[in-house]
Amino acid sequence: MDSREGNGWAHGLSFGLQSGMAVIPYALLTFYRKLNLTGSETLLLIHLLSFRQVEGKEFPSLEELQAVTGRSASAIAGELQKLIKEGFLRIEAGSDDGLGLHYERYDFSVLYDKLGQYLADQRAAGSAENGKSGQSAGRAAMQPKNGAAAATAGKGIDPAEEETPSLFVVFEREFGRPLSPMEFETIAGWLDQDRYPEELIRLALKESVFAGKVYFRYIDRILLEWSRNRVKNAQDVKAYSQRFRGGS
């Protein structure tokens, strides 16, 4: 290596280091499989941590996550939903009274709690039993987790799944902008808490577009009204609409 090559390498390394460094929990890198996380889900968590620490972005958009991962918005949105549903991420909202600003961000404390609990359980298990029986039990306990992780990883790269836009992507397309953290959480709540079928949410969004009222409160009212009238699928929606609009 001549002096010019050495200087070029040194300048490149210097620039890279000055661009910023993120602190990643070593336990996450070591034990993510034990927590039933796939490699892509773990990398997504790492990117979210990096956005916060290096760029100061508390809630990066799907487009920004696409740029650093090279994956589809549908796949990223699906993984974010799973991470929130299974308690690896949480969305926090609040306000700074001094500055008069409202903020929304990802909360990683639930991730740290899971890592801490796993390490504590491992230490307790190691203290209680350190023989062959303990090792056999550990291997047996891990098999279903690995199977579940493999199944999840398989779904993550399923071409059919990649071709179908997720709800989050569909909403962003209709709204013409990235979703806010609270809007993201609202959609996740419709799916996970209210148990609305995804088909029904898509139809409610379509109804709001036709009505020229594309905002979340209106869509939520549609879903609530349909739920009260036992509207559960596209056929029910059609029958309900005909009944109240005087159609045949």
Side-chain angles (χ1 to χ4, degrees), residues 21-30 42-43 45-51 53-54 111-112 115:
M21 292 184 287
V23 178
I24 308 301
Y26 181 66
L28 175 61
L29 299 176
T30 306
T42 304
L43 185 59
L45 286 169
I46 291 172
H47 279 304
L48 292 175
L49 287 166
S50 300
F51 268 111
Q53 296 177 29
V54 179
L111 170 65
Y112 302 144
L115 289 171

Side-chain angles (χ1 to χ4, degrees), residues 30-225:
T30 306
F31 301 114
Y32 70 91
R33 291 184 180 179
K34 308 289 180 68
L35 296 174
N36 199 22
L37 287 169
T38 66
S40 61
E41 290 164 355
T42 304
L43 185 59
L44 182 56
L45 286 169
I46 291 172
H47 279 304
L48 292 175
L49 287 166
S50 300
F51 268 111
R52 168 175 286 190
Q53 296 177 29
V54 179
E55 300 188 33
K57 294 182 178 179
E58 306 279 4
F59 195 86
S61 68
L62 288 177
E63 287 79 6
E64 289 171 321
L65 292 171
Q66 274 186 279
V68 295
T69 62
R71 304 180 68 229
S72 72
S74 295
I76 295 170
E79 288 184 349
L80 286 170
Q81 181 188 351
K82 182 190 173 210
L83 290 170
I84 293 171
K85 181 179 180 180
E86 297 188 359
F88 291 97
L89 274 179
R90 188 166 55 197
I91 296 176
E92 181 184 31
S95 59
D96 187 325
D97 295 333
L99 298 176
L101 298 176
H102 180 76
Y103 65 83
E104 295 165 331
R105 63 192 179 194
Y106 283 120
D107 178 9
F108 296 93
S109 62
V110 285
L111 170 65
Y112 302 144
D113 288 344
K114 280 184 176 288
L115 289 171
Q117 187 60 56
Y118 176 80
L119 293 174
D121 291 344
Q122 289 297 104
R123 178 175 295 182
S127 300
E129 190 171 1
N130 199 26
K132 293 182 179 180
S133 60
Q135 294 175 356
S136 299
R139 287 194 296 270
M142 282 308 304
Q143 285 181 350
K145 288 187 180 180
N146 288 337
T152 305
K155 291 180 182 178
I157 59 174
D158 184 353
E161 186 172 297
E162 292 286 339
E163 292 173 2
T164 304
S166 74
L167 271 178
F168 304 99
V169 175
V170 172
F171 268 77
E172 287 195 339
R173 287 177 181 172
E174 292 295 343
F175 277 69
R177 59 170 175 77
L179 298 176
S180 73
M182 294 308 296
E183 289 169 342
F184 193 100
E185 192 171 30
T186 296
I187 296 174
W190 287 337
L191 293 166
D192 301 330
Q193 297 174 16
D194 299 320
R195 303 291 184 182
Y196 293 136
E198 183 171 322
E199 176 192 28
L200 208 63
I201 299 174
R202 290 175 184 266
L203 289 169
L205 173 61
K206 188 176 180 180
E207 287 279 324
S208 74
V209 172
F210 286 157
K213 300 178 180 179
V214 188
Y215 47 88
F216 273 77
R217 284 188 178 180
Y218 187 76
I219 297 170
D220 189 58
R221 286 202 297 269
I222 292 174
L223 290 168
L224 183 60
E225 183 69 20

